[in-house]
Amino acid sequence: MKQIFIKYRELFLLALLVVSISGCKKDDSLNVTPKGFLTDEATFNSQSNADLFVNDIYNQLPDVNNDYQLTEQYADNSFCGAAWENGQATVRAGSIGPSNVPTGPGGMWDWEGNYGKIRKCNIFLQQAAANKAKYTDDWYKQRVAEVTYMRAYFYSLLFTAYGGVPIITTPLNNQDGSDIFTARATIDETVAFIEADCDAAAAVLPTKATETGRATKGAALTLKGWVELFAASPLVNTANDAGKWSKAAATNKSVMDMGTYSLFNASATSYADQFLSANNWNVETIFARGYATGPAKGSHREGYLGPVYVNGVQQSWGNLAPTQGLVDDYSMDNGLPITDAASGYNPQAPYTHREQRFYQSILYDGASWQGDIFKSRIGGSNQIDLGSTSDITNTGYNARKTLDESITGQTSINLAPSFANYIIFRYAEVLLSYAEAQNEAVGPDASVYDAVNKVRARSALPAVTPGLTKDQMRVYIHRERRIELAFEDKRWFDIRRWLITTGTNGVLTSPEYGMKIEAAGSGFTYTPVKIFTNTFFERQNWMPIPQAEIDKNKKLVQNPGY
């Protein structure tokens, strides 16, 4: 199938596809197109040129696989010891403010950056309509639907960070003296706009991509379902309106009912294998950012995030270090949480008889990696760094999931050889989103059990205990989301929308722990050790609007508490 990845030989053309803005209109002789630029007419006068413009919009998807500061470090799934990085210096220090807004990996919710991307979408929609006669009808309808979906996606990144935001649907131009500044829409208005764009896209897009990597009907409905789930959650839905939960459940169910997607289940290690380049665009992937094959066109993920020392050589930066809290949330292989007296958990043999996802996700002391044994024990090659004096893990763990064991860290840093997708939406998330929304709307009916159990069964876990209350099922679902979606940049959004960041047991107001392992006779002792004291304030569940944007646009009203 055709690929839509941007090749470097196309970058020059993409640089030329800059939409020019007319100058003084009193004397046309002054309106000279600068060399190196194409006019609107040249950019959109052919389907092939316009396609390059659309490809560049896809290229604006957050380049997360080339970022070393993940949202996992903002949340409670990972702790990076680098004191200067946003996770520790800003988010976990409670110092988020209008002058230092963290923008997420790949500039995920960067205010100015996303509005630049939205402008690209609006330019295409405007200019494609003006030049419609030059395109085939099928191409025009599909590309408009794709760009409409992409606009909704960029707006969703703004919404889930800031709440209500200005809704802009045309390329702004103040050359005629018009006011280009827009006030924030309400949260409900913002959600409704995203829903409408998703509906418009879903009505046209195919169920299966005709060209690898393009948006589909399922991607549009999944985005809509995610935004509705966020809007139904306690952070937004303060009155706990069951109707909002029902709407989110219905949209996620519509994706399930398509019959297009299923859980990737080709082998016993399919859960982790789906993130490898060999399995790009598998049956579970709904939408992803792809990476073109070729020198330096992939990502540095293994080098940025992998274990630091391998076979005696410093390979990676170690920026994905799972916390003890995450490790403790993995169940035993009998499906019971380690807090259950019947689980068989032994705190002095903490890594035995754990569920499959644990072994496919976590590098723990004694685990193998690239022909070496990961040793975070005292005296080991990756001895837990309790003083944050090096890149070595502060928690006693490194991540395995999403990393390709066939790629060494140094190779990754120097050559960017990984072409694995960054998966934005996959089917397991849809199942868990449906289960959560349906449980909150009506309680744990049979469909809730079925959705959760499908996710668990892939990893050989027994079915959820029958007869649970809504509250008990909520605990199961929250834990399943954390484990199933670990290291996929989902947890940061979940803990905020669930309002569990702060309070007595708030996940970002409680201390962070790692595991100190010391030799004792013929074995070892395992002692959880506090590695960091978190500080977080409830106002920070919403990001502040950057002060620079407030200064430019006096119609903007800052989020409360900043």
Side-chain angles (χ1 to χ4, degrees):
M1 290 190 293
K2 293 170 69 177
Q3 304 283 318
I4 66 163
F5 307 134
I6 309 301
K7 303 292 193 292
Y8 277 170
R9 58 187 170 80
E10 295 175 344
L11 289 182
F12 176 71
L13 288 175
L14 290 175
L16 295 181
L17 294 180
V18 177
V19 180
S20 64
I21 299 174
S22 298
C24 177
K25 296 183 178 180
K26 293 182 179 180
D27 183 354
D28 287 342
S29 66
L30 297 179
N31 292 335
V32 178
T33 303
K35 293 181 179 180
F37 286 81
L38 296 180
T39 63
D40 291 352
E41 181 181 1
T43 303
F44 294 98
N45 70 354
S46 73
Q47 201 163 285
S48 58
N49 272 2
D51 240 350
L52 285 175
F53 196 92
V54 175
N55 287 356
D56 188 45
I57 292 174
Y58 277 99
N59 203 43
Q60 305 305 308
L61 289 168
D63 186 10
V64 181
N65 279 354
N66 279 309
D67 203 322
Y68 51 86
Q69 297 193 63
L70 306 183
T71 60
E72 302 296 297
Q73 297 162 211
Y74 298 1
D76 57 337
N77 276 357
S78 174
F79 183 80
C80 179
W84 58 271
E85 290 187 10
N86 272 330
Q88 186 179 152
T90 306
V91 179
R92 292 171 177 267
S95 62
I96 299 172
S99 62
N100 65 343
V101 185
T103 57
M108 190 177 287
W109 58 82
D110 178 69
W111 183 282
E112 183 176 9
N114 274 296
Y115 275 108
K117 297 170 185 179
I118 289 166
R119 177 177 172 80
K120 286 178 182 283
C121 295
N122 288 337
I123 287 172
F124 175 83
L125 295 173
Q126 180 190 72
Q127 293 298 320
N131 292 274
K132 182 178 179 181
K134 301 172 184 176
Y135 316 133
T136 65
D137 189 53
D138 287 345
W139 179 92
Y140 174 76
K141 289 180 180 178
Q142 179 160 331
R143 293 297 185 265
V144 166
E146 289 176 33
V147 173
T148 300
Y149 165 78
M150 293 293 285
R151 182 172 69 178
Y153 177 72
F154 296 134
Y155 267 114
S156 78
L157 296 177
L158 290 169
F159 160 63
T160 53
Y162 302 101
V165 296
I167 302 299
I168 301 170
T169 58
T170 59
L172 298 179
N173 185 342
N174 67 348
Q175 287 192 312
D176 60 359
S178 60
D179 185 1
I180 64 171
F181 296 112
T182 306
R184 298 175 67 178
T186 66
I187 284 179
D188 287 345
E189 289 168 344
T190 303
V191 170
F193 177 81
I194 296 170
E195 289 174 316
D197 264 6
C198 288
D199 284 340
V204 175
L205 292 173
T207 55
K208 293 188 177 180
T210 55
E211 297 174 76
T212 303
R214 292 196 182 276
T216 60
K217 177 179 181 178
L221 292 175
T222 300
L223 174 60
K224 179 185 177 186
W226 160 239
V227 168
E228 289 174 343
L229 184 73
F230 197 98
S233 302
L235 176 62
V236 178
N237 187 14
T238 55
N240 197 24
D241 179 358
K244 292 187 176 182
W245 289 111
S246 294
K247 184 164 64 169
T251 302
N252 282 284
K253 185 65 162 57
S254 71
V255 180
M256 297 159 61
D257 290 343
M258 288 176 62
T260 303
Y261 310 103
S262 59
L263 296 176
F264 181 63
N265 206 9
S267 68
T269 56
S270 291
Y271 168 70
D273 288 349
Q274 68 179 299
F275 299 97
L276 303 181
S277 58
N279 298 310
N280 282 347
W281 316 111
N282 63 69
V283 295
E284 188 165 343
T285 299
I286 297 174
F287 190 62
R289 178 188 171 112
Y291 290 81
T293 57
K297 296 181 184 178
S299 78
H300 301 282
R301 195 170 181 93
E302 284 72 23
Y304 290 166
L305 308 180
V308 175
Y309 284 96
V310 182
N311 293 309
V313 177
Q314 184 168 355
Q315 291 283 357
S316 307
W317 295 357
N319 270 36
L320 194 49
T323 62
Q324 189 62 45
L326 174 62
V327 167
D328 287 348
D329 257 355
Y330 286 90
S331 69
M332 301 295 285
D333 56 14
N334 58 16
L336 296 175
I338 67 172
T339 53
D340 191 314
S343 69
Y345 176 70
N346 179 355
Q348 291 306 312
Y351 312 133
T352 60
H353 295 292
R354 302 299 288 271
E355 61 161 288
Q356 289 183 6
R357 290 177 297 189
F358 172 77
Y359 298 111
Q360 294 178 45
S361 302
I362 307 294
L363 280 176
Y364 56 93
D365 186 87
S368 62
W369 180 258
Q370 296 180 341
D372 195 12
I373 300 299
F374 180 75
K375 297 178 180 179
S376 58
R377 68 196 68 166
I378 301 301
S381 55
N382 285 283
Q383 174 182 312
I384 185 173
D385 182 7
L386 296 174
S388 293
T389 58
S390 70
D391 288 341
I392 296 176
T393 172
N394 291 79
T395 67
Y397 304 99
N398 267 106
R400 177 189 292 273
K401 178 186 164 187
T402 75
L403 304 183
D404 189 334
E405 193 170 356
S406 71
I407 300 173
T408 64
Q410 288 189 4
T411 302
S412 173
I413 290 173
N414 293 323
L415 299 177
S418 175
F419 312 117
N421 290 343
Y422 176 73
I423 299 176
I424 295 171
F425 293 121
R426 62 184 179 95
Y427 188 58
E429 181 181 359
V430 171
L431 291 172
L432 293 175
S433 294
Y434 169 76
E436 179 184 346
Q438 183 72 357
N439 182 60
E440 298 297 341
V442 302
D445 62 17
S447 70
V448 173
Y449 278 91
D450 182 63
V452 176
N453 287 336
K454 282 179 179 176
V455 175
R456 290 169 63 83
R458 195 241 308 263
S459 294
L461 287 171
V464 176
T465 305
L468 298 180
T469 65
K470 178 192 288 190
D471 291 347
Q472 290 170 329
M473 178 58 84
R474 182 185 302 120
V475 172
Y476 264 95
I477 292 170
H478 284 198
R479 181 186 293 120
E480 282 297 317
R481 276 191 76 94
R482 185 181 194 184
I483 297 305
E484 177 68 23
L485 304 176
F487 314 146
E488 297 178 49
D489 294 296
K490 304 293 182 179
R491 179 70 172 173
W492 167 247
F493 299 93
D494 284 346
I495 62 175
R496 291 169 45 240
R497 68 182 178 87
W498 289 334
L499 287 181
I500 63 171
T501 54
T502 62
T504 304
N505 297 309
V507 300
L508 290 182
T509 52
S510 299
E512 209 64 73
Y513 284 84
M515 182 66 81
K516 184 178 180 181
I517 305 171
E518 299 175 280
S522 59
F524 298 93
T525 59
Y526 297 81
T527 308
V529 57
K530 185 169 74 171
I531 58 173
F532 191 75
T533 300
N534 290 307
T535 302
F536 197 81
F537 300 101
E538 188 171 355
R539 65 175 180 269
Q540 295 169 331
N541 286 320
W542 291 116
M543 293 295 99
I545 298 174
Q547 188 60 47
E549 303 302 325
I550 296 283
D551 293 341
K552 286 187 291 187
N553 181 0
K554 301 304 181 183
K555 294 181 180 179
L556 292 177
V557 177
Q558 184 60 273
N559 277 330
Y562 292 104

